[in-house]
Amino acid sequence: NTATKIQYLNISRNGFEFSLPDFSPLTVLQTLDVSYNLFSGNLPASLSANLEYAGFQHNSFGGAISDSFFLSSTLQVLDVGYNYIYCEIPDVIYSNQNLSILHMEHNSLYGTIPQSLGSFPLKELYLQS
């Protein structure tokens, strides 16, 4: 099956308005960019095991973000900025040793940021509203 061999998928800036399909069959997917569309609903419950970059920014996603998003051992960049996500800042983001860039700005986040933030491997963390 050719679809299971896709490593890079970029469908950004198309004005798509449907719900996201299930990307879990794309087991070798490393880059997923669905940014700058009109996608709505919840973000997927989980990501491909090999995903390194996930771009969901500038859509209309709502709800909370599953902790499994941050547990991927390969995920390095996650951008969910400029959506309608409403959730507490997940503590699990601070334990992912590979996640280096996290954009969650311009959503409805709440909670606290730990004082030990400087000891985490994140290089960029955007949480502003």
Side-chain angles (χ1 to χ4, degrees), residues 3-51:
T4 59
K5 297 178 183 177
I6 295 174
Q7 294 179 352
Y8 180 90
L9 179 60
N10 184 334
I11 56 172
S12 64
R13 300 180 187 271
N14 282 293
F16 291 138
E17 295 185 48
F18 51 85
S19 295
L20 279 183
D22 179 13
F23 293 112
S24 61
L26 305 178
T27 56
V28 297
L29 187 64
Q30 295 175 341
T31 299
L32 174 62
D33 190 348
V34 300
S35 60
Y36 295 91
N37 281 292
L38 300 169
F39 290 120
S40 59
N42 293 324
L43 290 166
S46 62
L47 300 173
S48 170
N50 293 308
L51 203 62

Side-chain angles (χ1 to χ4, degrees), residues 60-77:
S60 295
F61 293 114
I65 300 176
S66 169
D67 282 353
S68 62
F69 255 57
F70 306 101
L71 297 176
S72 170
S73 62
T74 58
L75 189 64
Q76 297 170 20
V77 178

